[in-house]
Amino acid sequence: ASVAAAAAASACALLAATACYVAGTQQGREWVSQFPMGLGGRARRRKPRPHGLLQIESIRGAGFDVFVKSLNRSARSTMKSVDRALAKANIKIHTVVARGLSMEHFWVIYSHERRSVNFCIAPLVALGRFLASTIMTGFRDEYRVSGRLVAFSHFIVKGSTLRAMWFYQRTEVSKCKIWFHTLRANVKRAIAVVSIKTVYAGPSSGKEQISALKEKFGFPSIKSWKEECDYKGSFMKELPSNLRFRGDEISL
């Protein structure tokens, strides 16, 4: 038992050291980011999960407002009410480069996961998601109320694809329409950056209601996402200044 415990401790120490090294270099963060993005060469699933994709080329010329008009009435109403909901909650947004997380990010993830899993499992799930986001590259939109972090969205641009990677929010702001704000922001970013052709909202975890929600807001479910998303090319390291939030503005 003592040998097994020592081996487990050594493995954990090695994993922690590797994570620290990877998180400390841009090249390391880019390399590890490929695995959560589905580019790590894992075996193909027998039943591929649906993935929400929006092809930007079809709406770039018309613009974001025309895209919103193409949605159904309920979705249009939601998108129009996003700014009002964030302003009412006094939420401020800052865009930062994704270079590690802190404990305030962990507690946001924990609160988010606690809504779907019990209190025994939630810390482990939150820790795994915390470590994954910590060592990845990309950018974060951080949402704060009076300086306190209440939500964040982690996104990555590689090749001609903008990948909405992670989204977490505290329970008390779950009705403030922050997810819809992140959706809007990323679509606007993709329209503005000519090299981006696809916004990828990620897999729907096999839940029909999530797929339906994404489809309602313009992201149809695609199983052949690897053929639709072009990840060939480098990671974006610098986000144009006009596509970042600095705390005073709600809309890009």
Side-chain angles (χ1 to χ4, degrees):
S2 60
V3 173
S10 298
C12 289
L14 179 60
L15 180 61
T18 302
C20 290
Y21 171 75
V22 169
T25 66
Q26 177 64 24
Q27 184 178 6
R29 287 192 295 272
E30 291 180 0
W31 176 79
V32 80
S33 294
Q34 297 179 82
F35 295 92
M37 293 171 71
L39 304 177
R42 291 182 296 180
R44 186 182 297 273
R45 288 175 174 264
R46 291 183 179 180
K47 293 183 179 180
R49 292 182 294 178
H51 296 244
L53 299 179
L54 173 63
Q55 298 298 345
I56 293 298
E57 290 297 286
S58 62
I59 66 171
R60 176 170 280 123
F64 180 78
D65 290 340
V66 173
F67 164 68
V68 172
K69 290 179 181 179
S70 71
L71 305 177
N72 67 35
R73 183 177 179 180
S74 174
R76 293 198 305 271
S77 177
T78 297
M79 295 301 273
K80 289 179 181 178
S81 65
V82 166
D83 288 355
R84 186 166 61 253
L86 266 66
K88 183 177 180 180
N90 195 30
I91 293 174
K92 305 294 184 182
I93 314 140
H94 289 84
T95 305
V96 300
V97 176
R99 290 176 182 163
L101 302 179
S102 65
M103 284 305 297
E104 64 176 349
H105 295 89
F106 173 81
W107 290 117
V108 169
I109 298 172
Y110 173 80
S111 179
H112 186 98
E113 296 299 336
R114 183 67 184 84
R115 296 199 296 275
S116 57
V117 298
N118 66 50
F119 72 94
C120 294
I121 303 298
L124 297 177
V125 175
L127 179 60
R129 297 191 181 281
F130 173 84
L131 291 174
S133 185
T134 294
I135 61 178
M136 292 180 69
T137 190
F139 309 92
R140 282 195 309 273
D141 287 330
E142 298 189 339
Y143 298 78
R144 296 177 181 273
V145 175
S146 300
R148 178 173 178 259
L149 186 71
V150 295
F152 69 92
S153 169
H154 187 155
F155 64 96
I156 295 173
V157 180
K158 187 180 190 306
S160 63
T161 299
L162 186 156
R163 170 69 186 269
M165 200 69 221
W166 310 111
F167 173 75
Y168 304 106
Q169 62 183 348
R170 287 183 176 272
T171 301
E172 63 262 34
V173 296
S174 60
K175 295 183 179 180
C176 292
K177 302 184 179 179
I178 297 176
W179 183 80
F180 302 104
H181 182 272
T182 69
L183 189 76
R184 184 183 72 180
N186 285 331
V187 172
K188 284 188 171 184
R189 285 169 173 139
I191 291 174
V193 179
V194 178
S195 61
I196 298 177
K197 294 180 171 54
T198 306
V199 177
Y200 175 19
S204 299
S205 303
K207 297 180 180 179
E208 292 184 2
Q209 64 268 33
I210 298 179
S211 294
L213 178 65
K214 291 178 181 178
E215 290 188 15
K216 179 180 177 179
F217 286 88
F219 287 74
S221 294
I222 307 292
K223 290 187 177 180
S224 57
W225 65 273
K226 285 193 175 182
E227 289 71 29
E228 298 289 336
C229 294
D230 183 6
Y231 280 124
K232 295 177 182 176
S234 60
F235 286 89
M236 178 181 284
K237 298 178 177 63
E238 185 76 19
L239 192 67
S241 59
N242 62 316
L243 300 180
R244 305 177 199 161
F245 293 102
R246 295 178 177 80
D248 296 326
E249 62 283 289
I250 291 178
S251 182
L252 292 174

